[in-house]
Amino acid sequence: MLNHIWLALIVIGILTAAGRDIYEVTQNAYGNDIPWQVSIDELEQSPAGTERTVSLRVTQSELRRHFVTDSFDDGCEIKARVSMSGADAGTLILTVDKGLPARFATMAEALGSEGTLTAQLRRSGEQWRMTLEPVSLVYLKRVTNAAFDIAGVAVQIAIGLIGIMALWLGVMKVAEQAGLITHLARLVRPITVRLFPDVPADHPAVGSMIMNISANMLGLGNAATPFGLKAMEELDKLNPKHGVATDSMVTFLALNTSCVTLIPATAIAVRSAAGSSDPAFIIGTSFLASLTATIFAVTISKLLARVKMFRWDRAEAE
Amino acid sequence: MDVFRSIVSILSAVAIPALMLFFLSYGAFKKVKVYEVAVEGAKEGFNIAVRIIPYLVLMLVSIAIFRASGAMDVFITVVRPLTDLVGIPPEALPMAIMRPLSGSGSLGIMTETMQAYGTDGFIGVLVSTLYGSTETTFYVLAVYFGAVGIRNTRHALPTGLLADFVAFLAAVFFVGLVL
């Protein structure tokens, strides 16, 4: 299942990007090689070899013509640095800021030029015309950049876990040797023997799972992950088929991903920052929604374990 | 609600120091050589984190490709008739789809949606409830299974995604009830 979804995300992503790019090429959606008519007042007396900052005005109809869309309500004004190579020609470096139509930012991103666009400037008669660098395959470039960037981010996330993992696994080891984790497991025995029938009631896995779920409920994400990974390690010790998820692991993760939330701290913080009059209003609704989801998740994990394609006895060990 | 909220926030502030104090002093009381044993346990932290890397890289890359391509807009157009039937507000659909895929992505969508539709209306409360009530399923699966080298995840993903879907329906229901 995970195989198929993983592959589908990549295939759908790349094909969509390619499809959009082909469509944009057929439409010439960035107006490649079509000169823009611009008006620049201050440029009349600029001799060759000078460099100055100017302001270009682009009309609404020029925007619509180049970007092949009716979605512009107004023209725009672009700040640029111009260096004249002759009386009638020069090079422009346009500053792409937030005030400009988003297409310009997309072009700068696709050209990898970080907030600027380069254009050739020419005079024909009374009119100034600029020609921007051609842009194509915007989405495929985005996909490539995203893939490379996130590969680095993923490693940073994993490395970032090392410290917090080391700290908690150290503390947990002490608790384990002192027999605390086993005590904790015995305490919740009536619940866990039903949830995890293939885990012995006083196994250290149970203690770690309880710690993980309690930490999640309190919104202590930093502590929850080490407890959870410790629990997975303990569950894997009971696993006769290496590389295959056991029923208990799936039930544990079902509990974990849908986990009952007492305080959704991040969501409250964002609401507060966005100017909500009652940021904590969602505590009740989050609690009820996650409680419903948790009950459902545990039930469905038990039911799906019996479906033929997911059955334990059909899964092959590595 | 306020009392409940202050109890929980005190609990989450106190939990970590209290737990550390209790575990370590109980260990010392039981004659465990606390520092030596803790160091031994801490060594595992490095191995687990490193073991996760390949799983996390491949999972996050496939999600990043999906997001960067703009395939979500296409996906939304496809599932829209179905979700309209169930009575799901279309404004919250991007959030519902992004939530299991990406934590940072859904955080961004939650913020944008609240900026566009307000924080305290039905849509604003719905998206923040949704963010608060579920986890990033794909990330959790990659990290937790990665830590123990599980490649055949069996029914874990369908379970997680169905639970996310139910959380969404429940959020629509409960938010509708209180607003």
Side-chain angles (χ1 to χ4, degrees):
Chain A
M1 186 79 180
L2 187 59
N3 277 321
H4 300 121
I5 301 234
W6 185 75
L7 182 66
L9 286 171
I10 295 180
V11 170
I12 292 173
I14 293 178
L15 291 182
T16 310
R20 286 189 156 197
D21 282 339
I22 291 170
Y23 176 76
E24 287 193 346
V25 167
T26 60
Q27 294 277 308
N28 193 10
Y30 296 94
N32 288 343
D33 303 321
I34 302 174
W36 293 71
Q37 272 184 27
V38 291
S39 36
I40 316 168
D41 294 336
E42 315 96 281
L43 216 56
E44 301 304 327
Q45 294 95 27
S46 288
T50 57
E51 205 179 315
R52 59 194 291 194
T53 306
V54 293
S55 164
L56 314 173
R57 275 181 309 284
V58 179
T59 60
Q60 177 195 26
S61 63
E62 280 290 286
L63 287 172
R64 288 186 173 181
R65 187 164 74 95
H66 281 81
F67 292 147
V68 207
T69 160
D70 288 339
S71 57
F72 297 105
D73 300 326
D74 209 349
C76 65
E77 202 154 304
I78 309 175
K79 284 194 193 64
R81 189 94 192 133
V82 60
S83 52
M84 302 300 291
S85 53
D88 294 337
T91 308
L92 280 168
I93 297 181
L94 313 184
T95 311
V96 181
D97 52 28
K98 280 197 176 144
L100 294 188
R103 284 289 180 98
F104 287 112
T106 311
M107 291 172 80
E109 181 199 328
L111 292 165
S113 52
E114 293 207 11
T116 59
L117 283 169
T118 315
Q120 295 307 315
L121 187 67
R122 250 170 231 301
R123 173 150 56 181
S124 61
E126 288 301 296
Q127 287 286 348
W128 286 101
R129 292 170 189 276
M130 69 165 181
T131 315
L132 288 166
E133 282 176 87
V135 168
S136 62
L137 305 182
V138 168
Y139 286 98
L140 283 174
K141 282 176 190 160
R142 258 189 205 169
V143 161
T144 311
N145 290 340
F148 287 161
D149 288 350
I150 204 77
V153 171
V155 175
Q156 280 172 22
I157 293 176
I159 299 291
L161 275 176
I162 292 178
I164 200 82
M165 289 287 300
L167 172 62
W168 280 110
L169 290 181
V171 174
M172 283 284 279
K173 189 93 179 175
V174 173
E176 201 185 309
Q177 293 228 336
L180 255 179
I181 306 293
T182 320
H183 287 313
L184 184 63
R186 283 204 194 109
L187 214 64
V188 289
R189 188 189 173 120
I191 310 167
T192 52
V193 288
R194 284 179 184 79
L195 280 176
F196 310 105
D198 47 351
V199 180
D202 55 357
H203 196 271
V206 177
S208 301
M209 287 195 283
I210 299 303
M211 305 262 297
N212 167 263
I213 289 162
S214 322
N216 262 335
M217 285 170 81
L218 291 173
L220 307 171
N222 271 343
T225 309
F227 294 148
L229 298 188
K230 178 83 181 153
M232 289 300 280
E233 279 209 317
E234 295 294 343
L235 286 174
D236 203 44
K237 285 183 189 159
L238 298 166
N239 185 359
K241 296 182 187 176
H242 185 67
V244 181
T246 62
D247 287 355
S248 293
M249 287 180 183
V250 176
T251 304
F252 170 54
L253 286 192
L255 268 175
N256 185 298
T257 58
S258 61
C259 186
V260 173
T261 322
L262 296 181
I263 292 274
T266 314
I268 292 176
V270 172
R271 286 172 60 75
S272 167
S276 166
S277 58
D278 185 6
F281 183 74
I282 60 162
I283 290 179
T285 51
S286 292
F287 175 74
L288 290 172
S290 62
L291 184 66
T292 313
T294 305
I295 294 169
F296 177 84
V298 170
T299 317
I300 200 82
S301 80
K302 300 281 179 200
L303 289 177
L304 283 181
R306 297 185 196 167
V307 173
K308 201 175 170 196
M309 66 180 290
F310 298 129
R311 280 228 317 260
W312 168 253
D313 45 9
R314 282 170 54 93
E316 273 176 38
E318 283 163 23
Chain B
M1 188 59 87
D2 277 345
V3 177
F4 168 78
R5 199 185 156 205
S6 49
I7 291 174
V8 175
S9 64
I10 290 171
L11 259 182
S12 34
V14 173
I16 300 280
L19 213 58
M20 258 190 219
L21 182 70
F22 177 58
F23 277 13
L24 295 179
S25 45
Y26 186 85
F29 173 70
K30 285 277 177 183
K31 305 259 183 319
V32 176
K33 292 190 172 110
V34 278
Y35 181 69
E36 284 167 39
V37 171
V39 167
E40 204 180 305
K43 276 183 196 159
E44 281 179 59
F46 184 80
N47 294 331
I48 293 181
V50 171
R51 230 180 295 151
I52 295 168
I53 291 177
Y55 296 85
L56 203 56
V57 168
L58 293 180
M59 183 65 82
L60 295 191
V61 163
S62 92
I63 291 164
I65 288 176
F66 183 79
R67 280 182 61 195
S69 68
M72 220 182 65
D73 310 338
V74 182
F75 190 70
I76 287 175
T77 327
V78 175
V79 296
R80 178 80 187 271
L82 267 174
T83 52
D84 280 356
L85 267 183
V86 197
I88 289 172
E91 299 90 338
L93 209 50
M95 183 63 185
I97 295 166
M98 187 57 81
R99 188 67 194 105
L101 287 175
S102 159
S104 56
S106 51
L107 186 63
I109 290 183
M110 169 173 68
T111 314
E112 281 164 24
T113 312
M114 285 201 289
Q115 268 157 10
Y117 300 98
T119 51
D120 300 321
F122 180 72
I123 299 297
V125 174
L126 178 61
V127 291
S128 41
T129 297
L130 207 56
Y131 186 89
S133 61
T134 52
E135 278 278 344
T136 315
T137 303
F138 280 84
Y139 172 81
V140 171
L141 291 196
V143 168
Y144 281 53
F145 282 137
V148 287
I150 299 279
R151 268 152 279 186
N152 181 352
T153 60
R154 292 177 62 222
H155 50 307
L157 186 61
T159 302
L161 292 181
L162 281 170
D164 288 334
F165 183 63
V166 168
F168 185 44
L169 292 184
V172 172
F173 175 77
F174 287 117
V175 173
L177 213 60
V178 293
L179 277 184

